[in-house]
Amino acid sequence: MTTRLCLLVSTLLLCAPVARAEDAAELWGKSCKSCHGPDGRAQTRMGQKEAIVDMSRAAWQKAETDAELREVIANGSSRNTKMKAYKDRLTPEQMDALVRYIRTFKAK
């Protein structure tokens, strides 16, 4: 690879969109908080009505893989909830950022 090509590839990789932690918190607030609550515990009216899982539970955190979480974010949930698919609304980077954000909900 030529020096020029290496420089171009490096520049593109450095400039690629990466969802930051604050972006994930903002995404959570806009897309997820109304049902799942600010802390993932689903202590909202919709969370209670739909019996949404408490994402802060250690057992749930351990049982759910990142790939499974990303799949639910992308394609919605079939677990007796009305969660819609976000694959047409969020980039892969944003979905990955949300998965990382969900992992911060571990019970204290």
Side-chain angles (χ1 to χ4, degrees):
M1 205 181 302
T2 68
T3 304
R4 218 172 186 182
L5 185 55
C6 286
L7 182 59
L8 177 62
V9 170
S10 297
T11 302
L12 290 173
L13 288 174
L14 290 173
C15 295
V18 176
R20 299 180 316 258
E22 55 269 20
D23 295 334
E26 187 176 328
L27 283 170
W28 181 267
K30 289 180 182 177
S31 303
C32 313
K33 182 179 170 182
S34 63
C35 294
H36 293 281
D39 55 4
R41 296 180 65 220
Q43 298 297 313
T44 64
R45 184 168 45 186
M46 183 60 78
Q48 299 298 306
K49 178 181 174 188
E50 295 294 323
I52 296 173
V53 68
D54 177 352
M55 294 183 194
S56 72
R57 289 182 30 247
W60 182 87
Q61 287 275 345
K62 185 176 179 180
E64 295 294 319
T65 67
D66 289 355
E68 289 168 330
L69 292 175
R70 194 173 192 288
E71 175 74 17
V72 170
I73 293 167
N75 298 310
S77 178
S78 60
R79 297 180 183 173
N80 300 324
T81 67
K82 296 177 183 177
M83 184 173 162
K84 57 189 168 189
Y86 284 89
K87 64 184 170 198
D88 296 332
R89 297 180 186 139
L90 299 176
T91 67
E93 292 83 9
Q94 289 172 317
M95 287 187 261
D96 289 341
L98 278 173
V99 169
R100 288 190 301 274
Y101 191 74
I102 289 167
R103 293 303 184 194
T104 68
F105 294 148
K106 293 180 181 174
K108 298 172 178 115

